[in-house]
Amino acid sequence: MMDPSSTASASAPAPAASTHSGHSGGPAAALSAAVATASRRFQHLLDRSTPHVGHRWLGLAGVVLVYALRAWFAGGYYIVTYALGIYLLNLLIAFLSPQVDPELAEVLGEGPSLPTRSSDEFRPFVRRLPEFKFWYSILKAFCIAFGMTFFSVFDVPVFWPILLFYWVVLFTVTMKRQILHMVKYRYVPFTFGKQRYNGKRAASADDLTLPKD
């Protein structure tokens, strides 16, 4: 005969699983999920803003104005502004430069040809830094510089006219070198005014003269 106590223990339901098993990650997992969700939403907004070139640059102009007002009323942070100017100059050079350096391609004897005069056949100019990345990098730079103006450790006392003069000289020398590079290898970093292929063959004189019955 079986012991009644053993049958009772066998028929008793198993204890329920801990209600905290779904929260095993804790606050760290919740924070990671929130960051991932915010990152996806931000990337989605960036993807949607890609074709709206004019609106993006107008928004960037507003950000630049906000930073300029902040730096003006703060009356300092000249080192931050100078570093920002140097970074923007590097971005501009990358934006105006071709993806494949023609000087290096000339040495190696390979590489695609670059677009030249507007009367030539249209060939798109492939930039080293695309327009969207150029815009986004400038936006991030101004946002970071704006945040740095709220920390006094970055407000280094300096004679700002010297920094301004040095930046103007550096900008002039760098742009002169870039323009000479454009002239030497005959490329134009813009597509305005270039001929585009519209998929239609131009009508010839033979096509216009049809035989009569």
Side-chain angles (χ1 to χ4, degrees), residues 4 17 25 67 81 89 113 116 167-168 199:
Y67 174 79
T81 305
L89 181 58
S113 58
T116 57
W167 186 86
V168 171

Side-chain angles (χ1 to χ4, degrees), residues 1-54:
M1 175 178 278
M2 298 179 61
D3 189 3
S5 61
S6 62
T7 57
S9 61
S11 61
S18 175
T19 57
H20 299 286
S21 60
H23 305 283
S24 59
L31 179 61
S32 177
V35 170
T37 302
S39 178
R40 286 194 300 269
R41 291 181 178 178
F42 181 70
Q43 186 62 42
H44 178 66
L45 291 177
L46 286 179
D47 295 339
R48 292 185 59 183
S49 67
T50 302
H52 305 287
V53 180

Side-chain angles (χ1 to χ4, degrees), residues 67 79-89 138 141-142 145-146 167:
Y67 174 79
I79 292 294
V80 175
T81 305
Y82 175 74
L84 177 62
I86 296 296
Y87 180 69
L88 295 181
L89 181 58
I138 295 177
F142 271 98
F146 181 78
W167 186 86

